[in-house]
Amino acid sequence: AAGEVALQSMPDNVELLVWATVFAERLGDDAQGQAYGARARAQFGGDEARYQILLGSDRFQAGDLDGAAAAAEIASRLAPDDPQVYFLVGNVAEARGDIRGAMDAFARAGELADVDNPQLAVVSKMRYGMLLQQLQIMPDSAFPAPEDAGATETPGDVTPTP
């Protein structure tokens, strides 16, 4: 209800539209979610990758890891060199306990963001460093071996190849 009120006063606000999409999905109202998604897409002017990154980030914040991973997969096909794709993949991987996958994604995000987005580069590198510390203090048995990572659905599966 509060979202509808906000959208009435700011009907073209893309962030509100994407959040409304996520809320409708979470409530099982697929038709309304698709309608909000279409309105949000229109605000992106055809930049589907940007839409998918924002959708994935909002899904992640709402606790929908599978939805976030799906959006990251689509975004990675559309914009394989976008550091925000890798940052999203890293967030999902970390939340799923795939520390190595998260580290790889954050490292790639930091590399790609260095020139154009120094703030994202710094945050990505900090996240990488924090995970590296975790990896050093946790027993090896707490982390899946790299060859086992593909055996289950993990964010590593959506990490685009450079």
Side-chain angles (χ1 to χ4, degrees), residues 78-162:
L78 297 171
D81 292 327
D82 189 317
Q84 291 185 344
V85 170
Y86 290 91
F87 192 78
L88 176 57
V89 169
N91 283 331
V92 174
E94 182 181 12
R96 287 182 169 168
D98 179 6
I99 302 302
R100 288 185 177 105
M103 288 176 62
D104 290 345
F106 289 135
R108 185 71 176 138
E111 291 168 11
L112 291 171
D114 260 340
V115 174
D116 296 327
N117 192 338
Q119 182 178 3
L120 181 60
V122 169
V123 172
S124 296
K125 291 173 184 181
M126 286 177 51
R127 298 281 299 276
Y128 176 90
M130 290 169 35
L131 291 171
L132 182 60
Q133 287 179 331
Q134 282 185 12
L135 195 60
Q136 291 174 343
I137 61 172
M138 297 294 289
D140 286 341
S141 62
F143 303 101
E147 62 272 4
D148 294 337
T152 61
E153 184 184 336
T154 66
D157 297 335
V158 299
T159 303
T161 54

Side-chain angles (χ1 to χ4, degrees), residues 25-92:
E25 289 173 351
R26 302 287 288 173
L27 294 172
D29 189 348
D30 293 334
Q32 188 63 55
Q34 290 174 2
Y36 286 132
R39 288 174 56 192
R41 282 183 168 99
Q43 296 303 312
F44 278 106
D47 190 348
E48 183 68 15
R50 296 263 48 92
Y51 169 74
Q52 291 295 330
I53 291 167
L54 183 56
L55 178 64
S57 296
D58 288 354
R59 284 174 172 168
F60 175 79
Q61 290 179 39
D64 180 5
L65 298 182
D66 291 337
E73 171 66 30
I74 294 167
S76 73
R77 287 192 304 262
L78 297 171
D81 292 327
D82 189 317
Q84 291 185 344
V85 170
Y86 290 91
F87 192 78
L88 176 57
V89 169
N91 283 331
V92 174

